[in-house]
Amino acid sequence: MATQNAEPRIEETIPATMRAVVYRGINDLRLETVPVPEIGPGELLVRIATCGVCGTDLKKIHLGSHSAPRIFGHEMAGTIVDVGEGVTSFAIGERVMVFHHIPCGHCYYCRKQTFAQCSTYKKVGATAGFEPSGGGFSEYIRVMDWIVAMGGVVRIPDGVPFEQAAFMEPVNTVLKAVKLLNLAEDETVLVIGQGPIGIMLAALSRRSGACVLTSDLYPERHAIAAKFGLHEPIDAADVVERAHAVTEGRGADVVMVAVGGTKLIPTAMAAVRPGGKVMLFAQTQHEEATFDPGAVCMDEKTLLGSYSASTAIQPEVEELVLGGYRRGFDLTQLISHRFPLEEAVQAIEVASNPKADSMKIMIEAAPGAGAERGGERWQAR
Ligand SMILES: [Zn+2]
Ligand SMILES: [Zn+2]
């Protein structure tokens, strides 16, 4: 689309087709050639540099919770290559991170700051084609008008790599959960699970001054957690005992569950003190679970959850992720694998079968998006 602006711009030729990972049904992902999406008034076309693989992408792929075909991927960063009519706040060539959900800002749920329940928020505003589903596992995405207008597109400052910016969405979801807990300096927090999300929950909890214990099965993950200042590792088998040992027998003030499924909920309830809180962060499926109602009523243990991002805390998230990068808050240390888009099916495979050494997995539509970081070599895995 031609822009109204008269000043010269370096416009790149946008191809008619692109490569994308198309979800064709349960556990059926295919690398296909699809049309590059067209944009309308108020919209943007963004060339994807990199996109993180999220646990929720895997859940959709494995459970078939959504109709096919779709192109998933929502932890994305890239470069604006076209702007729709009427867009004045963004220009071609700008490096950006894109949110795929943005709330309306004025409905009942938004007024109560429970943005993830807003009906506008539930609509997906970024697509690489088919039913909008993020689209980050492709080369180009169309960013819809309300995402552009309502703060869903964030400029990446010079010197901050695309990969760091791609963590903005998960960091927002994590910070939102941590804020709900109102942590205090004299408290003890236990984070169960030290995948990328567990490490981020623990690292952001530490900012309150609380003592943060982290548990995982793998020593490799504790080693990565240590890079984020987390020096109280616990072996997964000793969680309940250690949580009591370091709190004069009370149990942790807060336990966060960063491992999916229901198996660890009783462990978390046993590790938290009377009157403490258990935050379910990775329980993104509707299913039945067992817990002791007496622990909630008589022992006054609170079970709570947090899901998705909050626009209300976005300025703080930007300061943390974009400003923080220069101060050493380097989230790219959580990345264990980088795959080119052509090998995205393998990337999902690796992400779906986590091993001790697999942490955040990135799919790079532009190979070398990771190399931007201080000359580190891009590694095909
Ligand atoms: Zn995500
Ligand atoms: Zn709303």
Side-chain angles (χ1 to χ4, degrees), residues 9 23 40 112 142 203 219 243 314 346:
R9 275 177 172 156
Y23 167 77
K112 298 289 173 191
R142 167 186 161 216
Q314 184 52 23
Q346 276 162 266

Side-chain angles (χ1 to χ4, degrees), residues 103-107 109-110 118-120:
C104 77
H106 50 74
C107 73
Y109 288 117
C110 284
C118 159
S119 60
T120 301

Side-chain angles (χ1 to χ4, degrees), residues 59-250:
K59 184 191 77 174
K60 291 166 196 163
I61 293 163
H62 301 317
L63 297 181
S65 52
H66 293 56
S67 63
R70 285 171 190 259
I71 301 170
F72 293 123
H74 58 268
E75 296 177 3
M76 52 217 176
T79 305
I80 297 174
V81 291
D82 200 4
V83 297
E85 202 186 311
V87 174
T88 52
S89 46
F90 290 98
I92 290 172
E94 287 185 308
R95 297 162 74 241
V96 291
M97 172 271 163
V98 178
F99 279 93
H100 64 314
H101 291 295
I102 283 293
C104 77
H106 50 74
C107 73
Y108 186 81
Y109 288 117
C110 284
R111 291 201 306 274
K112 298 289 173 191
Q113 306 249 317
T114 46
F115 303 109
Q117 312 308 326
C118 159
S119 60
T120 301
Y121 190 88
K122 288 175 192 253
K123 287 196 298 180
V124 179
T127 182
F130 308 113
E131 188 67 29
S133 301
F137 302 152
S138 77
E139 291 182 84
Y140 293 90
I141 54 160
R142 167 186 161 216
V143 186
M144 292 179 214
D145 55 357
W146 80 93
I147 301 279
V148 178
M150 301 281 289
V153 181
V154 182
R155 267 183 208 87
I156 307 172
D158 289 346
V160 177
F162 285 121
E163 285 185 341
Q164 173 84 358
F167 277 96
M168 205 128 40
E169 191 262 357
V171 166
N172 187 312
T173 66
V174 162
L175 184 65
K176 177 187 156 193
V178 170
K179 280 179 170 289
L180 273 173
L181 297 163
N182 291 316
L183 301 174
E185 260 186 321
D186 61 350
E187 293 185 324
T188 299
V189 176
L190 163 67
V191 181
I192 300 178
Q194 290 291 281
I197 287 287
I199 291 180
M200 287 190 264
L201 282 167
L204 298 191
S205 297
R206 246 189 98 238
R207 300 196 314 154
S208 64
C211 164
V212 181
L213 313 173
T214 56
S215 90
D216 202 275
L217 290 169
Y218 301 121
E220 289 87 341
R221 293 184 169 190
H222 287 307
I224 297 168
K227 295 183 186 175
F228 291 87
L230 301 163
H231 300 297
E232 305 281 348
I234 309 181
D235 188 84
D238 306 331
V239 166
V240 176
E241 193 194 316
R242 283 295 308 281
H244 286 83
V246 302
T247 54
E248 298 164 329
R250 291 186 300 269

